[in-house]
Amino acid sequence: MKFRQTLISSVMAVSLGLGVSTAHAEGSLSIYHWFEYIPQELLDKFAKENDVEVTMDTFDSNESMLATLKAGKLGSYDVAVPGDYMVEIMAGEGMLDSFESSELSNFGNIEDQWVDVGFDKGRKHSIPYQWGSTSFMVNRDVYKDDIRTTDIIFNPPTELEGKINVLDSQGEVLALASLHLGISQCSQDRDELKALNALLQEAKPKWASFNSDGAKDVLVSGDAAVGMIWNGFGAKAREEGANVEYSYPKEGYVVWMDNVVLLKDAPNRENALKFMDFLLEPENIAAVTNFARYTAGVKGVGDMLDADLKASPEANPPADAPAGTFVAVCDEETQKFYDQIWTNLKK
Amino acid sequence: MAGLTPTTSTGTSATLSGSAFDPLRKRLLFPAWFVIGFFLVLPVLLMLVYSFLTKEFRGGVVWEFSTASYDQFFFDRGLFGDEPAKIEWTYITIFWRSIVQALIATVICLLIGFPTAYFIATRPDSTRNLWLFLVTVPYWVNLLIRTVSMKFLIRDNGPMNEWLMMVGLIDSPIHLINTNIAVQLGLFYSYLPFMVLPVYASVERFNFSLAEAAADLYASRWTTLRRVILPAVKPGIIAGCILVFVPSLGAFLAPDLLGGAKNFMIGSLIEEQFKGSAGNWPFGAACSMILLSMVLLVLMVYARSQARAGAQ
């Protein structure tokens, strides 16, 4: 008899426990985000304002995020923060939920140039998060000559050989290499593809490492004298005391925009939309920009930015710099060759 | 109740076969069988199946039978896949590099681990546990953190180079980071206790009066070590070697962090297949199967040599 009572009470305890956690789960938001890309205080602010429990996992490349979501994590996160080309890929794979602009009260805050973007026409799945460029930084104690050329990465002068860190990011490395050769990004021309492959094969022995999440650290520590890097992350390297200069090469450089997307099967769709609305408030997204050192795509942010950020050399290309290029999305048939070139490089 | 009585340590295979089919014993074994079946056999079977599937664009698999992964491993058909097949040396090189690295790590661990274990086993009872405890201290820290710390220590302007330059042993920094030597450092440092502990267990059981007897019979110290001690502690050494060799073979943290993700070892090659968009799940599964077969082969050779030794 006593045993039965114990049994019943423990079953009740378990079901009560479940009840509590379900009630709790209604007020939660699960974010899949880049590393070091949002200040904790901002997450806390959102959690407090909306009485929501926020959890966040991080990734270090668009590709690894896609792989994780494809491997069964879709349905456990509400929002993710893919780059431009990855938004297009994810939409094509049916991994994104869509929303109406009326569902976001701050939709009108998006800067006009970022409303109708090629990777998400009319912003059905995404809102701007931050945008910036991908190029490289050079340690000026080690190398004093002209750095505004992609030769620094792909055909480096002898004093920089073996001191170069490259982002472990297929899209950006291959796009920058294509700019270096002056070929289009989704080329199907065999000679061009062979040249691209050969360029990377010849450059690889002169590189020290492939590292994305350590891209800033290798520059600050001096492990690398040249590092491919995103402009805001590079600004942090400089601010941490390294004598490094960001290059806007004459051959061109990569521009990107990271976007908050609404994931398909989001367990907390409503909170996800609240979070997107929250990030379209100038005050909040300015906090991200001040933290991450990139540029927001929201109106009215300008006044809330740190003074040194407005003048930072990483965020302000020199007047004669060419326009940046977005990473292109190739069709399956073409992408196969680029995947093969990347595999050849990494193996 | 009789079925619950544990077999005594002297129990031979004859007593085992008498009671192993006891229904209660069988039921008690069920959790173990379940764990092995569900968490070991099933995943390996899945991996085998996946290695024969077709790669899906941008990660994942298509359920169509294909031997393309194994073909990719062994044959090179050029960038566009339409050249006549040549032997693909890339992956064989990666495997060979991993085997060499793992062997070197094992030998270094043995050279450092055996004297360490011997030292600990010959300490008085009162301090022995303290020494063992000290061996395990680094294990309180996560492997990732230890590998990153190694990177901080050996970088060009890290503490190691600064101290060496300060005491005047070297003039310019020794360049270790992003080299195979750095990977090696990471490997043997990570797995050293896996050698020390099993060897210690063997040496600790060794009856040192046998060594004294050898000395009484005019065996030199070297002969005593070679002919008396080593044969007695051989099982511990072999266990230690396997425990170091197998994880070193599949390591990916050390090559990623200390080798700069440039000189692939098997582990990083497999990781890449599941991480990047150029990733290829069936190919990653095929590499895993090939690795698994190699490890199994080593273990089978070991098991057979043990069985032969036991039969003698």
Side-chain angles (χ1 to χ4, degrees):
Chain A
M1 201 53 204
K2 188 154 186 224
F3 171 74
R4 243 174 95 186
Q5 272 172 359
T6 324
L7 191 72
I8 291 167
S9 54
S10 53
V11 165
M12 274 171 65
V14 168
S15 47
L16 272 177
L18 282 178
V20 167
S21 64
T22 333
H24 214 68
E26 276 172 5
S28 65
L29 175 72
S30 181
I31 307 171
Y32 197 29
H33 208 328
W34 289 85
F35 61 92
E36 268 185 65
Y37 206 2
I38 190 162
Q40 183 62 41
E41 303 84 62
L42 198 66
L43 291 176
D44 295 343
K45 184 181 169 193
F46 177 77
K48 210 174 157 196
E49 278 179 9
N50 295 282
D51 192 23
V52 156
E53 194 191 337
V54 180
T55 51
M56 182 170 79
D57 288 339
T58 61
F59 53 85
D60 70 350
S61 79
N62 280 309
E63 286 76 15
S64 68
M65 176 211 52
L66 180 73
T68 308
L69 289 178
K70 277 200 111 171
K73 282 296 229 175
L74 197 65
S76 50
Y77 296 111
D78 300 304
V79 291
V81 190
D84 41 88
Y85 68 98
M86 194 48 75
V87 174
E88 193 176 335
I89 289 172
M90 289 170 81
E93 299 260 325
M95 298 167 81
L96 303 182
D97 194 0
S98 49
F99 54 83
E100 295 299 321
S101 53
S102 56
E103 288 183 79
L104 296 174
S105 54
N106 293 328
F107 191 87
N109 287 357
I110 300 176
E111 277 180 3
D112 298 339
Q113 59 163 329
W114 299 119
V115 176
D116 206 30
V117 283
F119 52 84
D120 183 13
K121 292 259 172 8
R123 292 281 178 188
K124 298 270 178 269
H125 316 282
S126 69
I127 59 155
Y129 185 70
Q130 296 281 300
W131 68 276
S133 65
T134 312
S135 170
F136 54 88
M137 283 191 125
V138 180
N139 187 320
R140 287 314 223 159
D141 294 334
V142 179
Y143 187 72
K144 297 193 167 59
D145 287 342
D146 178 33
I147 62 166
R148 289 191 55 194
T149 162
T150 44
D151 276 335
I152 298 281
I153 298 277
F154 297 107
N155 186 19
T158 25
E159 59 260 56
L160 292 176
E161 280 181 19
K163 295 174 186 163
I164 301 170
N165 177 57
V166 176
L167 289 179
D168 197 353
S169 161
Q170 180 183 356
E172 285 161 310
V173 172
L174 295 186
L176 199 64
S178 301
L179 287 169
H180 176 78
L181 289 177
I183 58 180
S184 73
Q185 280 190 56
C186 291
S187 172
Q188 290 185 319
D189 183 293
R190 290 199 157 209
D191 292 333
E192 288 184 355
L193 287 167
K194 273 186 188 156
L196 184 65
N197 189 49
L199 174 76
L200 294 167
Q201 290 300 321
E202 274 166 41
K204 186 185 174 183
K206 299 167 188 168
W207 294 347
S209 52
F210 289 96
N211 197 337
S212 292
D213 48 7
K216 178 188 75 180
D217 179 54
V218 292
L219 287 170
V220 176
S221 70
D223 280 356
V226 176
M228 215 179 131
I229 200 162
W230 304 290
N231 62 340
F233 210 32
K236 286 187 174 183
R238 179 176 53 78
E239 285 159 10
E240 285 178 24
N243 181 19
V244 285
E245 187 181 331
Y246 189 76
S247 165
Y248 279 96
K250 60 178 192 297
E251 294 89 348
Y253 52 89
V254 175
V255 283
W256 48 263
M257 167 167 262
D258 287 330
N259 308 271
V260 184
V261 294
L262 183 61
L263 289 170
K264 195 183 148 204
D265 302 330
N268 311 287
R269 186 175 188 274
E270 215 167 294
N271 286 333
L273 289 172
K274 273 188 202 163
F275 185 63
M276 291 168 122
D277 235 358
F278 177 83
L279 288 175
L280 288 174
E281 288 285 354
E283 184 196 343
N284 297 330
I285 198 68
V288 174
T289 301
N290 283 331
F291 174 82
R293 319 305 274 175
Y294 298 110
T295 311
V298 167
K299 293 173 198 161
V301 166
D303 305 335
M304 299 171 198
L305 297 182
D306 296 347
D308 57 339
L309 179 59
K310 281 188 220 169
S312 101
E314 291 82 13
N316 297 287
D320 59 341
T325 312
F326 277 102
V327 172
V329 179
C330 314
D331 60 47
E332 182 170 355
E333 198 49 43
T334 318
Q335 187 60 37
K336 222 166 58 187
F337 302 135
Y338 286 88
D339 285 352
Q340 185 60 49
I341 290 171
W342 182 250
T343 306
N344 288 346
L345 174 65
K346 286 297 302 276
K347 73 195 181 186
Chain B
M1 272 326 275
L4 275 174
T5 321
T7 327
T8 51
S9 56
T10 51
T12 59
S13 57
T15 54
L16 259 177
S17 66
S19 53
F21 295 100
D22 188 311
L24 177 60
R25 186 170 288 226
K26 239 178 173 176
R27 257 177 279 154
L28 286 174
L29 274 175
F30 180 75
W33 282 116
F34 174 77
V35 167
I36 291 176
F38 196 77
F39 293 110
L40 183 77
V41 178
L42 193 68
V44 169
L45 286 179
L46 265 179
M47 212 160 75
L48 182 67
V49 171
Y50 267 52
S51 74
F52 284 105
L53 294 179
T54 307
K55 166 190 193 269
E56 194 195 344
F57 186 44
R58 304 195 198 284
V61 286
V62 182
W63 283 83
E64 266 169 46
F65 176 82
S66 157
T67 53
S69 305
Y70 292 94
D71 184 276
Q72 182 185 346
F73 192 94
F74 293 108
F75 300 107
D76 173 13
R77 296 175 198 275
L79 181 57
F80 303 99
D82 54 3
E83 290 167 31
K86 289 176 295 193
I87 299 279
E88 171 70 273
W89 287 104
T90 321
Y91 305 114
I92 298 172
T93 312
I94 292 172
F95 271 58
W96 178 243
R97 182 189 297 141
S98 309
I99 292 169
V100 170
Q101 285 276 35
L103 277 177
I104 296 174
T106 311
V107 169
I108 296 179
C109 280
L110 183 60
L111 289 179
I112 300 177
F114 180 76
T116 313
Y118 190 90
F119 173 83
I120 298 174
T122 51
R123 290 312 94 191
D125 280 343
S126 54
T127 54
R128 214 182 275 173
N129 281 337
L130 177 71
W131 289 107
L132 275 181
F133 169 77
L134 287 177
V135 169
T136 61
V137 164
Y139 272 68
W140 299 3
V141 178
N142 178 286
L143 176 64
L144 176 65
I145 312 259
R146 273 181 289 140
T147 310
V148 173
S149 316
M150 176 68 83
K151 182 175 166 174
F152 281 108
L153 278 178
I154 64 171
R155 65 179 22 156
D156 286 0
N157 47 12
M160 188 193 79
N161 275 311
E162 272 175 12
W163 291 331
L164 286 176
M165 285 202 290
M166 213 167 64
V167 296
L169 277 175
I170 50 171
D171 297 326
S172 56
I174 310 174
H175 181 69
L176 282 177
I177 193 78
N178 301 328
T179 64
N180 282 333
I181 299 173
V183 176
Q184 187 54 244
L185 267 172
L187 286 182
F188 101 79
Y189 170 68
S190 302
Y191 300 121
L192 185 57
F194 289 2
M195 182 65 85
V196 173
L197 296 177
V199 173
Y200 163 79
S202 292
V203 178
E204 200 245 344
R205 277 201 301 266
F206 178 68
N207 183 350
F208 277 93
S209 47
L210 290 175
E212 279 166 32
D216 288 345
L217 295 170
Y218 296 103
S220 68
R221 288 174 148 224
W222 173 241
T223 314
T224 311
L225 177 72
R226 209 163 45 90
R227 304 285 295 271
V228 181
I229 301 177
L230 281 184
V233 301
K234 203 173 110 192
I237 291 181
I238 292 178
C241 287
I242 291 175
L243 285 180
V244 173
F245 182 77
V246 172
S248 301
L249 197 59
F252 67 89
L253 275 182
D256 255 25
L257 291 169
L258 298 168
K262 251 187 70 182
N263 292 313
F264 267 7
M265 283 181 53
I266 305 173
S268 26
L269 173 70
I270 295 172
E271 188 207 6
E272 183 80 8
Q273 303 311 318
F274 294 93
K275 211 180 79 173
S277 74
N280 185 335
W281 292 13
F283 183 64
C287 291
S288 308
M289 287 315 295
I290 293 168
L291 173 63
L292 188 76
S293 321
M294 277 170 41
V295 171
L296 270 182
L297 203 73
V298 172
L299 292 181
M300 271 162 63
V301 169
Y302 167 63
R304 278 189 64 177
S305 72
Q306 283 298 98
R308 213 175 299 146
Q312 275 166 8

